[in-house]
Amino acid sequence: FFADNDERAIFFARGVLETVKKLRWSPDIVHCHGWFSSIVPVYLRNAFADDPVFKHTKIVLSVYDDAFEGELDPGFKSKIQGEGVGRKYLSHLDKPTYENLMKFVINYTDGVIFETPEPPEAIRDLLVEKKKRFLEYQDKSTPEYLDQYQAFYNKVLANE
């Protein structure tokens, strides 16, 4: 964990989205894995919301057992806000812990996949409260998990 992980995550998110835009790819789904890429949904729904490349893009976030200890830089909230992110949901970042970051980001996703059999209860509760679709942990030792992922993607794309 580095003191500037918040800025690294912002740089990563911006860099990825600017590259996709420059290449004129128009993704159907952007699937973000783990907390470090979790800033991508925020940018897609805010700073890049009017970009035609991302107009119909759906966003899926995989939540792993990768929680960081402590907090991101206390100025993270103002850094995000300064990047074109509206005030809505920003109160989650008053204390930028892993759990609060996930609560913030979930507001900008179309679906969440649990990549851990025991995800944080607060995240599950928020998904239920917000009526967000999610896929429970799938055992990767069985081939059926791929079918479960495909069915989930199809539901996200169909907006079911």
Side-chain angles (χ1 to χ4, degrees), residues 114-139:
F114 292 125
E115 301 292 352
T116 178
E118 295 180 28
E121 200 62 38
I123 293 173
R124 180 186 303 280
D125 292 346
L126 181 64
L127 290 167
V128 171
E129 176 190 324
K130 298 274 185 182
K131 297 183 175 143
K132 295 272 186 172
R133 70 180 56 83
F134 61 93
L135 179 64
E136 294 289 353
Y137 174 77
Q138 301 296 306
D139 183 355

Side-chain angles (χ1 to χ4, degrees), residues 2-3 22 39 69 74 76 92 94 107 133 135 140 157:
F2 297 98
K22 189 72 115 177
I39 305 304
E69 295 293 321
F76 180 59
H92 288 297
D94 288 342
N107 290 293
R133 70 180 56 83
L135 179 64
K140 309 294 187 292
L157 287 169

Side-chain angles (χ1 to χ4, degrees), residues 5-147:
N5 270 354
D6 63 325
E7 291 178 2
R8 292 171 188 240
I10 289 169
F11 180 79
F12 171 79
R14 261 262 184 227
V16 167
L17 295 173
E18 290 291 350
T19 299
V20 170
K21 186 174 153 181
K22 189 72 115 177
L23 295 172
R24 295 187 182 169
W25 293 341
S26 189
D28 293 325
I29 293 180
V30 170
H31 190 155
C32 301
H33 292 267
W35 79 264
F36 194 79
S37 68
S38 68
I39 305 304
V40 171
V42 178
Y43 277 90
L44 277 171
R45 295 293 190 248
N46 290 276
F48 291 83
D50 296 328
D51 194 307
V53 169
F54 301 111
K55 184 174 181 151
H56 301 289
T57 300
K58 301 295 184 185
I59 305 167
V60 173
L61 173 68
S62 279
V63 174
Y64 290 84
D65 188 15
D66 68 344
F68 53 81
E69 295 293 321
E71 299 178 19
L72 294 172
D73 183 276
F76 180 59
K77 178 179 173 179
S78 63
K79 292 173 191 173
I80 288 289
Q81 192 172 5
E83 290 285 321
V85 176
R87 293 183 184 270
K88 196 173 185 182
Y89 312 120
L90 274 174
S91 62
H92 288 297
L93 298 180
D94 288 342
K95 185 175 183 181
T97 62
Y98 170 83
E99 190 173 293
N100 287 344
L101 176 63
M102 292 296 105
K103 288 178 179 179
F104 173 64
V105 171
I106 283 170
N107 290 293
Y108 300 103
T109 65
D110 297 296
V112 172
I113 298 176
F114 292 125
E115 301 292 352
T116 178
E118 295 180 28
E121 200 62 38
I123 293 173
R124 180 186 303 280
D125 292 346
L126 181 64
L127 290 167
V128 171
E129 176 190 324
K130 298 274 185 182
K131 297 183 175 143
K132 295 272 186 172
R133 70 180 56 83
F134 61 93
L135 179 64
E136 294 289 353
Y137 174 77
Q138 301 296 306
D139 183 355
K140 309 294 187 292
S141 66
T142 65
E144 293 82 27
Y145 88 91
L146 293 172
D147 295 331

